[in-house]
Amino acid sequence: MTQHRKPAMGFIFATLIIDITGLGIIIPVFPKLIQELTGGTLSEASSYGGWLLFSFAIMQFLFSPVLGNLSDQYGRRPILLISLLGFAIDYLFLAFAPTIVWLFVGRLIAGVMGASITTATAYIADISTPENRAQNFGLVGAAFGLGFIIGPVIGGLLGQFGSRVPFLAAAALTFLNFLYGYFILPESLAKENRRKFDIKRANPIGSLLQLRKYPVISGLVGCLLLIYLAGQAVQSTWSFFTMEQFSWSERAVGYSLGFVGLMVAIVQGGLIRYINPKLGPKRSVYIGMVLYVIGLAFFAFAYKGWMMYAALVPYCLGGISGPALQGIMSGQVPPNEQGELQGALTSLISLTSIIGPLLMTNTFAYFTRPEAIVYFPGAAFLLGAVFALASLIVALKSLASYKAEDAIH
């Protein structure tokens, strides 16, 4: 696989960009679609939005370890293709949903099949060396960034023609991504590095318990749990907050998310390749988390639209911590367990996606209701800042004795 590393990274990078663009297309119009189907207010729609994210996350929590372990036996390519097809079906359910129940059915399907990021990160681990692992994981973030430049802008523009149109565009794009992967994407996991599927390890609890074998990884589980929980403040409430606080339209929300994507692409695809090697993995984690705290706190107290753009600078620069954490953890396990590791980490992320959206959207809903003790739309962002600060404290403790030469491969 060594001679194919650069072409393979190009393939997986393009696949991720197309996948994330499909996701980004639907974000600006999701609140309005929920309002159409429920007839409620924006505040009430945010609670439904939390439960929809919960539905997706709980299925992903249960099934990501299964798909991760299957990819360790059968390879990354077939699992990635199955997940892409599942997402295309989900978008069609969302596009033609006559009731809110259909939205939940679509999200459940996507949660079961949604292993594209899990498999992509395992794929990247397969073709990376210890020297470039963090930088290669940064390309996942760069793909997210570019996808969120293209997707929300397209979604905001298409949303003017109806709240269903962006979902049809997302379905078409994801199916094209499936075809691209089928004809272009090579397999990354050599047959000699595969292992048999083990049902005892292919469940959320079993996969997380396997991490106990690796002291560095087990110590960082709490850190990841908290930082992903903090990120749910942005992922779950951005559209609702900006529409409530600044009366932004779907187009304005789309443009703002496009700027998020631009910042993420600059940091993850460019700056990280220079910053992380100079800082080293530990300092990259620490500094990144401090920047997350600053960015989230600024979001919470923004009272002008331009302030959200200004606060995105420290928040997105905080992204230097994620690839550094992934690089540290990936370096602790052998090649035939990378799928299991990424499945376990996806389950961990999904666990925060079960708790986080409900916590953050209901925090937003509570502090924007007429009967609220204090009107404070930014409450969810402030809560996220507290979680990010707690994650920094855990990271300081967990990485105190870590050395880069401790990596297995």
Side-chain angles (χ1 to χ4, degrees), residues 157-230:
L157 293 172
L158 291 178
Q160 298 175 83
F161 303 102
S163 60
R164 312 292 182 122
V165 176
F167 295 94
L168 292 171
L173 193 61
T174 307
F175 186 69
L176 287 175
N177 195 11
F178 166 80
L179 293 176
Y180 172 84
Y182 183 82
F183 289 107
I184 302 295
L185 192 68
E187 179 54 63
S188 65
L189 185 63
K191 290 186 177 180
E192 61 268 22
N193 288 331
R194 300 183 187 186
R195 63 177 179 82
K196 288 186 177 181
F197 179 82
D198 184 356
I199 192 64
K200 292 180 181 178
R201 298 165 66 166
N203 64 81
I205 305 303
S207 61
L208 289 171
L209 288 176
Q210 284 293 316
L211 301 183
R212 293 184 303 174
K213 297 186 297 184
Y214 310 105
V216 173
I217 294 178
S218 60
L220 291 175
V221 166
C223 172
L224 283 170
L225 190 70
L226 288 164
I227 199 65
Y228 282 122
L229 204 54

Side-chain angles (χ1 to χ4, degrees), residues 265-286:
I266 291 171
V267 174
Q268 302 282 342
L271 293 180
I272 205 169
R273 293 181 171 269
Y274 302 99
I275 295 174
N276 283 36
K278 290 185 178 180
L279 293 178
K282 287 172 63 172
R283 291 179 65 193
S284 296
V285 170
Y286 300 154

